[in-house]
Amino acid sequence: MQRREVLGIILAGSALSKVWASENYLNSVKPDKKELLKDLRLANDYFVKKWPDTGKSIITNRERPSNIWTRGVYYEGLMALHKIDPQKSYYDYAVSWSENHKWGLRNGIQTRNADDQCCGQTYIDLYLIDKKEERIKDIKASIDLMVESEKVNDWTWIDALQMAMPVFAQLGVIYRDDRYFEKMYQLYTHSKTKEGGNGLYNSEEKLWWRDKDFVPPYKTPAGKNCYWSRGNGWVVAALVRILEIMPKRAPHRTEYEKMLLDMLSALLPLQRADGYWNVSLTDETDFGGKELTGTALFIYGMAWAINTGLLKNKAYNTSIFKAWNAMKTECLHENGFLGFVQGTGKEPKDGQPVTYTSKPDFEDYGLGCFLLAGSEIYKMR
């Protein structure tokens, strides 16, 4: 090979390196706040226009009332957006949804199902804005029945932590009653240490199995432990939301802070080069690919931990911005629709294929995750 050819390869390689470095830098730049808020509004406006009737049932394989968990998660995100962008239309939309369901739970106050109780998070948020007893009556009655019972094995799947733990925390603060905190801890501890045999949390890898179906000896096709991205995202979100609600000296707060930090430290090195996390966290061959919901929930947790001073490692900033910029440029359509959202389920294979144009069976919770993450990143200095 002649000297000129060698020089050409070196120069070409140098140019490609500069392009790669430039793109990598741009992908990890902190989002502009005005642009970020514009994107959140765009995504939310798309949904509101599509669902003008807040009482309308959701029809997929069958008909369901719209106060189920998927819509509850959306309203969590909407209330987070309302905090940074306090528009009356957001509040009115949330109140309309609540009133259309008479501030009730899908299966009534007797339910112990965390998915049924998720709507209570928004009911309580709205109660704190306008303290009308009707807003909190049913959700309090449902949780009180659990507090008064000895049963602690209700949360058999890790999604339940996000759906219900914030409700216990909210009621504990409102009524200044540690019984809510203690019951929440008992339920959480069962899921962590006993459910499925020895608990759903792996203290060595600092990640959670989705439910008893995935504890060892279950393995991915490549022989690895199967940790579902969104499932672990729900745990991160649960911890963030209760820590944001609970007083500094609330019972077991230290345990929750440690769990959040441990999980974030485990998740950081699992991030893909393109900014996302795989749906199967430790196995990219198990339906690997871009996915919004788990990614959004992870950076929601990271951003909150940074904003509150719990985290000080700058590596997390890079991780957050890289993930957000990826979702903004590769998931958010011009009309506000969000691509790369995995449908409902409990493992990597569910809702596949997940693509830019694929529509999940429910598109509300994906938006909720997006709004939670974006609203928290907006607060970053």
Side-chain angles (χ1 to χ4, degrees), residues 257-378:
E257 288 181 347
K258 183 179 184 304
M259 176 61 74
L260 178 60
L261 290 176
D262 283 349
M263 290 188 69
L264 295 182
S265 70
L267 289 164
L268 186 63
L270 297 177
Q271 187 176 29
R272 294 158 45 107
D274 60 10
Y276 299 91
W277 277 264
N278 287 309
V279 290
S280 188
L281 287 173
T282 60
D283 190 349
E284 63 183 10
T285 68
D286 188 19
F287 296 94
K290 301 170 182 177
E291 203 282 314
L292 180 144
T293 60
T295 297
L297 292 169
F298 295 152
I299 61 173
Y300 168 53
M302 291 177 181
W304 183 86
I306 288 171
N307 287 338
T308 56
L310 200 59
L311 266 180
K312 295 181 172 62
N313 186 339
K314 290 184 178 180
Y316 287 94
N317 291 60
T318 301
S319 179
I320 292 165
F321 302 151
K322 190 173 185 178
W324 181 261
N325 290 330
M327 292 193 298
K328 166 194 167 64
T329 57
E330 298 172 359
C331 298
L332 183 62
H333 290 227
E334 289 185 4
N335 66 351
F337 172 78
L338 293 171
F340 293 108
V341 173
Q342 185 184 17
T344 56
K346 69 175 191 176
E347 60 183 306
K349 72 177 179 62
D350 293 330
Q352 297 288 348
V354 178
T355 68
Y356 177 69
T357 57
S358 63
K359 293 185 178 181
D361 48 356
F362 298 82
E363 56 182 306
D364 40 15
Y365 63 86
L367 173 57
C369 297
F370 188 74
L371 295 178
L372 285 171
S375 297
E376 198 59 43
I377 293 169
Y378 183 88

Side-chain angles (χ1 to χ4, degrees), residues 101-233:
H101 296 289
K102 299 180 180 179
W103 306 91
L105 284 60
R106 179 188 185 185
N107 289 303
I109 64 172
Q110 298 289 336
T111 185
R112 299 179 67 94
N113 189 307
D115 287 348
D116 291 344
Q117 295 164 339
C118 182
C119 59
Q121 296 186 47
T122 297
Y123 296 166
I124 296 172
D125 281 344
L126 294 171
Y127 167 81
L128 292 173
I129 295 172
D130 186 359
K131 294 185 177 180
K132 297 177 180 177
E133 286 302 314
E134 66 185 38
R135 299 185 171 191
I136 203 172
K137 181 181 177 182
D138 281 8
I139 185 60
K140 181 180 184 299
S142 178
I143 301 301
D144 283 352
L145 288 174
M146 293 184 71
V147 170
E148 291 161 7
S149 76
E150 295 183 1
K151 191 171 184 287
V152 296
N153 61 346
D154 294 280
W155 298 345
T156 59
W157 73 112
I158 59 176
D159 314 30
L161 305 187
Q162 196 284 146
M163 305 306 158
M165 285 181 74
V167 177
F168 282 80
Q170 287 169 316
L171 293 173
V173 171
I174 292 171
Y175 294 99
R176 299 180 181 181
D177 189 342
D178 283 355
R179 291 183 305 156
Y180 293 104
F181 297 129
E182 294 296 347
K183 189 66 178 186
M184 177 176 73
Y185 184 70
Q186 291 170 14
L187 290 155
Y188 159 88
T189 300
H190 176 89
S191 300
K192 176 187 172 184
T193 65
K194 295 182 180 180
E195 181 61 34
N198 295 312
L200 300 178
Y201 179 63
N202 184 338
S203 59
E204 293 183 2
E205 295 188 271
K206 296 180 171 57
L207 296 170
W208 293 66
W209 290 290
R210 197 271 179 177
D211 56 47
K212 66 180 181 180
D213 292 341
F214 298 95
V215 301
Y218 184 93
K219 297 288 182 182
T220 69
K224 298 181 179 181
N225 286 330
C226 183
Y227 301 110
W228 185 41
S229 179
R230 187 163 69 235
N232 278 270

Side-chain angles (χ1 to χ4, degrees), residues 43-115:
N44 188 65
D45 287 348
Y46 167 83
F47 182 81
V48 172
K49 288 175 183 176
K50 187 171 181 177
W51 289 87
D53 180 357
T54 57
K56 184 179 179 181
S57 297
I58 302 171
I59 301 176
T60 54
N61 59 326
R62 60 188 176 87
E63 185 173 353
R64 297 175 176 86
S66 69
N67 60 344
I68 59 174
W69 73 267
T70 66
R71 194 57 54 87
V73 171
Y74 160 68
Y75 280 101
E76 289 177 53
L78 181 65
M79 296 307 292
L81 177 60
H82 182 262
K83 287 182 180 179
I84 63 165
D85 184 30
Q87 295 192 34
K88 186 174 183 294
S89 61
Y90 302 155
Y91 173 80
D92 290 343
Y93 193 63
V95 169
S96 173
W97 172 69
S98 305
E99 289 180 340
N100 272 316
H101 296 289
K102 299 180 180 179
W103 306 91
L105 284 60
R106 179 188 185 185
N107 289 303
I109 64 172
Q110 298 289 336
T111 185
R112 299 179 67 94
N113 189 307
D115 287 348

